[in-house]
Amino acid sequence: MFPLKPAFISPHFEDSYSALRSEYFLTRPPRMKDFISIILAIIGIIIISGVCYLTLLLAHPIFAYEGDYSALRTKAEFLTPKELEAKEYQSWINHTNNKYKNRLVSHPAKGIIHVKMTKYINGRPVKINVVEINPKANTKLQIRPKTASNVLNRKTGIKNMAGSENAIIAINGGYFKPQTGVPLGTLVIGKNVLTGPIYNRVALGINSDGTFSMERSTMDILIQGKKAQIKADNINQPRMLSTYTIIYTDKWGQMTPPAPKYGMAMAIKDGKVINYNFGSVEIPKGGFAIVGPKQNIQPLLNEKNINFDITMPEVFQNSEHIIGGGPYLVKNGNMHVDIKEERFGAINGRNPRTAIGYTKNNELIIVTIDGREETSIGMTLWETSRLMKDLGCEYAMNLDGGGSSVIYVKGKIENSPAQKNGIALSNSIIITETKDTETVANAG
C-alpha cells in the first residue's frame, strides 16, 4: 500500500518529510504489489459508485415510477372510492388530532368532529363550540339549509328542524324578519330559489360536487312574455323601495304584500294573468305573482306564456344550495370584515355569534360563540374573523347571531343561548348522513 501522511507533523519537520517522501518514490522502483493495489482501488470505486447510483435510482421519485406503474397504486387515481375515503379519513383524523390537541373533542359521526373550548380576551372567558366536517372523509354526509316550514312565514326551534330530518348537526342560519320568519337574504334549496339577496350580502354556496363557494350574492331576474320583458328586483322579499318590482311565489304564503302607491299586483298561472288589482292578490298554487309600479308590470296584462328566469353569479352556477349571511369574516385567506359595504350598521359589539367557513382542503367549519354572560363575554366581528382565520378558513362569513345563535349536536343543544334551547328560527343549516341502500333494503 502507498505510505500515508501522518495525522500531525511538526512544522519543523515538514520540509524534510517532503524531501524524504520524494526521494522514496524516485529511488524505489514500482512493484507488482503496487499495480494490484491500484487496480483493486479502481474496482472498489466502481462498485461503490454503482451502489450509490442504484440507491438514488430506487429512492428518487423521478425514477421510481418510470416503467413500473404498480408503484402508483397509492396515488389517488388508482384508489377505489372506498380506499380514497378511508385514506382521506385517516389523514384528516391525524391532522385534527394535532390541530385540536389538548382540547375536548368528540366524534358525532365519521367525518365530523365537535370541539369545545374556552378562550380568554383581556383575561375574560369566551366559550366556543367548533364543528369541523370533511365531506371527503364521509361521502354520505349531506349539508344543506332547512326552513321551518314549507312556507317562508313560519318559525320553529332548532330541535324541531333537526329532529324532523334526523340531523347529526344543526346551527341557526341566516337573518330573518322576527315578526314573520321570512328569511332576509339569499336562500336556495335544491336549486329552488326561495328568496333573493338584500344589499348583495355575502352567501355560502354548497356545490353539487361537494365543494363550497362564497361571494357577495346577486340575482338577475327577467320576467318574459311573448313580447314584453320586465326586470324584477327581487323574489319573496319585503319591499325596500316603492320602485321595486318583486316576484312572490306560493312559498311566500297565500297573499302578496300590498302594492306600492301607483302600483299594482298581478297573479299568473300557466303563463297567463288570472287576476290583478291595485292592492294585494292571492298567489296561485304552482304559479306566482308580481307586485310593483303600475307602469312596470302593466305591459304583461295581454301577454301569454309569462315566466321568469333567474341568473346567478358564476361562482354559484354549480351550487345546489345557497344561504346568505354577512358580513364577510375571511376572504382569500385574509381577515376581511366589510360591515359598511354590506350595510350592517352597529352589529360589531361583543355578542353571541354564529359563523361558517371552509378551508383550502374543503373542510367546512361552523362555530358558535356564547356571549352576554359572565362565563362568556362574546366576540366582536373582528375577533370572530381572527378566530375563523386561526381555524384555517380560506373563506368565512357571519350568520345571524345574538339570541339566534345556537348549535345542536346529536340531539343536544351544546351552547348556552339566552333562551333555553334557543329562540324560534326561520331557517338553519343541517348535516345529515344518508343510509346505505343495502341497509335500508334489509330494514324493510
Side-chain angles (χ1 to χ4, degrees):
M1 295 293 290
F2 295 119
L4 300 175
K5 183 176 178 177
F8 174 77
I9 299 174
S10 170
H12 303 291
F13 189 61
E14 182 69 36
D15 293 338
S16 56
Y17 174 81
S18 300
L20 285 170
R21 184 177 59 183
S22 301
E23 184 181 347
Y24 177 82
F25 281 104
L26 288 171
T27 58
R28 174 185 168 281
R31 296 178 298 182
M32 180 62 67
K33 191 175 180 181
D34 297 329
F35 288 116
I36 293 171
S37 296
I38 292 169
I39 292 167
L40 288 173
I42 292 169
I43 292 170
I45 290 168
I46 292 169
I47 291 171
I48 291 168
S49 298
V51 170
C52 290
Y53 178 77
L54 286 172
T55 302
L56 181 65
L57 182 71
L58 292 172
H60 199 286
I62 292 172
F63 300 110
Y65 303 142
E66 286 185 3
D68 180 15
Y69 289 95
S70 62
L72 286 170
R73 280 291 300 165
T74 56
K75 289 182 73 69
E77 59 264 35
F78 284 85
L79 295 175
T80 66
K82 281 191 176 179
E83 289 171 333
L84 189 60
E85 184 178 304
K87 186 179 176 71
E88 174 68 30
Y89 177 72
Q90 192 55 56
S91 174
W92 179 66
I93 285 295
N94 293 339
H95 168 71
T96 52
N97 283 345
N98 184 59
K99 179 177 178 179
Y100 299 109
K101 192 175 181 181
N102 300 324
R103 302 289 187 185
L104 185 60
V105 178
S106 63
H107 297 79
K110 183 183 175 185
I112 303 176
I113 62 168
H114 173 219
V115 186
K116 294 181 80 72
M117 63 176 78
T118 301
K119 293 180 77 71
Y120 288 85
I121 299 174
N122 299 325
R124 301 187 68 189
V126 181
K127 291 182 179 178
I128 301 166
N129 280 270
V130 179
V131 170
E132 188 166 322
I133 302 122
N134 186 341
K136 298 190 297 296
N138 183 357
T139 55
K140 296 188 185 74
L141 295 176
Q142 302 289 320
I143 304 161
R144 62 184 175 86
K146 162 95 178 144
T147 54
S149 172
N150 60 357
V151 290
L152 297 173
N153 56 351
R154 297 285 188 277
K155 296 182 293 181
T156 191
I158 193 91
K159 280 191 170 183
N160 289 338
M161 279 190 268
S164 67
E165 300 285 346
N166 197 26
I168 304 162
I169 306 290
I171 58 164
N172 62 288
Y175 302 96
F176 60 93
K177 196 168 183 177
Q179 299 86 342
T180 63
V182 173
L184 298 175
T186 303
L187 185 61
V188 177
I189 301 178
K191 292 191 177 291
N192 183 21
V193 179
L194 300 180
T195 56
I198 290 180
Y199 301 126
N200 297 340
R201 288 172 175 168
V202 64
L204 170 75
I206 301 163
N207 303 327
S208 54
D209 60 359
T211 61
F212 305 102
S213 304
M214 192 172 288
E215 185 56 270
R216 296 279 297 274
S217 179
T218 60
M219 285 183 189
D220 289 324
I221 308 172
L222 190 65
I223 306 167
Q224 302 177 80
K226 197 169 182 181
K227 296 178 182 178
Q229 285 191 344
I230 296 168
K231 185 182 182 300
D233 296 285
N234 218 323
I235 179 169
N236 288 335
Q237 287 290 9
R239 177 170 300 282
M240 299 174 72
L241 292 174
S242 61
T243 55
Y244 278 5
T245 297
I246 303 176
I247 292 173
Y248 293 97
T249 70
D250 56 9
K251 291 290 184 183
W252 173 266
Q254 186 177 358
M255 301 293 293
T256 68
K261 190 177 181 181
Y262 308 117
M264 68 185 301
M266 183 182 293
I268 296 163
K269 184 167 185 180
D270 298 327
K272 295 182 290 188
V273 176
I274 60 170
N275 188 20
Y276 72 94
N277 64 44
F278 303 104
S280 296
V281 293
E282 185 175 350
I283 305 169
K285 289 288 182 185
F288 62 97
I290 309 167
V291 182
K294 181 181 175 182
Q295 73 245 28
N296 285 6
I297 64 177
Q298 198 168 22
L300 293 171
L301 276 175
N302 298 316
E303 284 284 348
K304 295 180 180 178
N305 301 320
I306 304 168
N307 56 59
F308 65 91
D309 183 63
I310 299 175
T311 304
M312 304 291 292
E314 188 175 350
V315 70
F316 295 127
Q317 289 297 314
N318 193 34
S319 297
E320 196 75 20
H321 316 291
I322 306 171
I323 186 165
Y328 259 118
L329 296 173
V330 181
K331 185 177 181 181
N332 291 321
N334 299 312
M335 293 172 64
H336 181 81
V337 182
D338 54 347
I339 304 171
K340 185 178 178 182
E341 293 84 349
E342 297 193 32
R343 301 192 197 182
F344 272 105
I347 68 162
N348 194 34
R350 190 164 277 122
N351 289 301
R353 302 281 179 195
T354 302
I356 190 165
Y358 56 94
T359 69
K360 277 185 179 179
N361 296 323
N362 206 50
E363 296 111 354
L364 188 71
I365 293 177
I366 59 178
V367 168
T368 59
I369 299 159
D370 287 341
R372 300 175 186 168
E373 55 187 76
E374 281 300 313
T375 56
S376 186
I377 62 170
M379 282 188 174
T380 68
L381 286 170
W382 280 103
E383 288 164 350
T384 310
S385 171
R386 165 57 66 187
L387 173 64
M388 297 304 281
K389 178 177 166 58
D390 289 347
L391 288 170
C393 289
E394 186 74 1
Y395 285 86
M397 72 180 193
N398 193 54
L399 288 168
D400 194 8
S404 297
S405 189
V406 62
I407 187 166
Y408 166 103
V409 180
K410 292 201 83 172
K412 183 182 175 186
I413 305 297
E414 288 289 347
N415 68 325
S416 300
Q419 182 174 310
K420 188 178 179 181
N421 295 325
I423 64 171
L425 302 170
S426 157
N427 61 91
S428 64
I429 298 172
I430 62 170
I431 293 91
T432 59
E433 185 175 24
T434 57
K435 294 181 180 178
D436 288 325
T437 310
E438 255 182 59
T439 307
V440 174
N442 291 337

